[in-house]
Amino acid sequence: MKRPLLALGALLALGACTGDPEPGPLPGEDILDAGTRADAGAPDAGTDVDAGTDADAGTDAGVDAGSRPVDPFADRVTAYHFGDSAGFGQDRFPDVVLGPPVGAGQHAGSLDVLSLGKGGSITLEFTDLLAVDGPGVDLLVFENAFQKVGGDIFAEPAHVSVSDDGLTWFDFPCASTDKDGGFPGCAGTHPVHSAPDNGVSPTDPAAAGGDGFDLADVGLARARFVRLTDTGLNGYGGTSGGFDLDALSVVNGQLPDGGVP
C-alpha cells in the first residue's frame, strides 16, 4: 500500500507500515474457484493459483457482488491467495476490486484497494463484457501508484496473465527488476486518475491512468479471465504489503455471445 502525500493528513496512517488497522476476520489463506477450471496453460509468473477445486471446502468459492448491469469492470473473483503482509481491504472484499476504479490522482495512492501481500495472487472474471483484441490497449489494470515529490513513481508491480477459458493462460512479460525503466510490462506502475465522481473515463487509456495491456502482445483474441500476481519484490509490512488492486476495465469489449454492447 502506498503512502499518500502529506496533504492527505490522517490517511497516512493507512500506508505501508505496521500501523495499518486490522480489517477484522480475514478470508482463508487459499480460497480457490470451483467449477472445473484448472490451470493447464503457460506457467504463471509468481505464485500459482489453481482454479480447479476448492481445497478448503470442496464447494464453489468464487465470489461476486451480486447481480450487476453490463459494464466494463470485473464481475467476479474466481480465485485468490493472499501472501504475507496482506490484509488491507479484505473487510470490503470482493466489492473493493469489482466495479470502477477510485483513483486518487497523480500524487496520492487510493485507499479503495486490496493488498495481495508477498507473492499473493487474484483471478477475476468478466461475465457480461469480455476484453477483445482491438486497436491499441484492450484492458486497463488499476493499482495505486503515485508520483512522489521529486518526480519518481512509487510503484508495487504485479505480473498479468489472461485467459479466455480459464484453462490456458498467457503471461504478459513483466520486467519486475527494472525499477529505473519503470517496470515495463508490469501492472501497478502508473497513477490512477479515473474515479466515479470526477468525470474521467475509466475506459480511456489516454486519460484514466493505470496500466494498459494489448491482447495482441500475447496472441490472444479474447480474455474472460485476468490473473494478477505480486512479484514478491515490493514493500511488505503490516497488512498492506505488495501489489494493491483497485479495479480492472475493458477498453475493447464484446458481449459473451459475440455481440456489440
Side-chain angles (χ1 to χ4, degrees), residues 23-185:
L26 306 182
E29 182 180 8
D30 291 279
I31 305 295
L32 307 177
D33 186 36
T36 56
R37 301 189 187 109
D39 184 358
D44 295 324
T47 301
D48 182 20
V49 179
D50 181 358
T53 56
D54 184 348
D56 293 322
T59 58
D60 187 349
V63 286
D64 58 29
S67 177
R68 291 178 176 274
V70 173
D71 61 34
F73 312 116
D75 300 289
R76 187 170 182 262
V77 175
T78 64
Y80 59 95
H81 165 75
F82 297 129
D84 292 343
S85 296
F88 189 86
Q90 290 183 27
D91 57 330
R92 294 165 286 154
F93 183 71
D95 302 76
V96 69
V97 295
L98 306 177
V102 185
Q106 187 71 17
H107 300 287
S110 172
L111 300 178
D112 189 67
V113 295
L114 176 73
S115 299
L116 298 186
K118 188 172 184 178
S121 181
I122 187 168
T123 303
L124 301 100
E125 180 181 6
F126 297 108
T127 63
D128 52 13
L129 187 66
L130 314 186
V132 295
D133 183 27
V137 168
D138 304 309
L139 172 74
L140 287 169
V141 178
F142 300 101
E143 205 246 3
N144 67 348
F146 67 90
Q147 186 175 12
K148 299 184 291 184
V149 174
D152 293 339
I153 298 293
F154 191 99
E156 291 179 311
H159 299 274
V160 179
S161 304
V162 288
S163 174
D164 185 32
D165 59 7
L167 297 171
T168 302
W169 290 87
F170 298 79
D171 304 326
F172 285 94
C174 165
S176 58
T177 60
D178 187 4
K179 180 179 180 180
D180 291 341
F183 307 106

Side-chain angles (χ1 to χ4, degrees), residues 7-19:
L8 294 185
L11 294 182
L12 285 169
L14 297 178
C17 64
T18 55

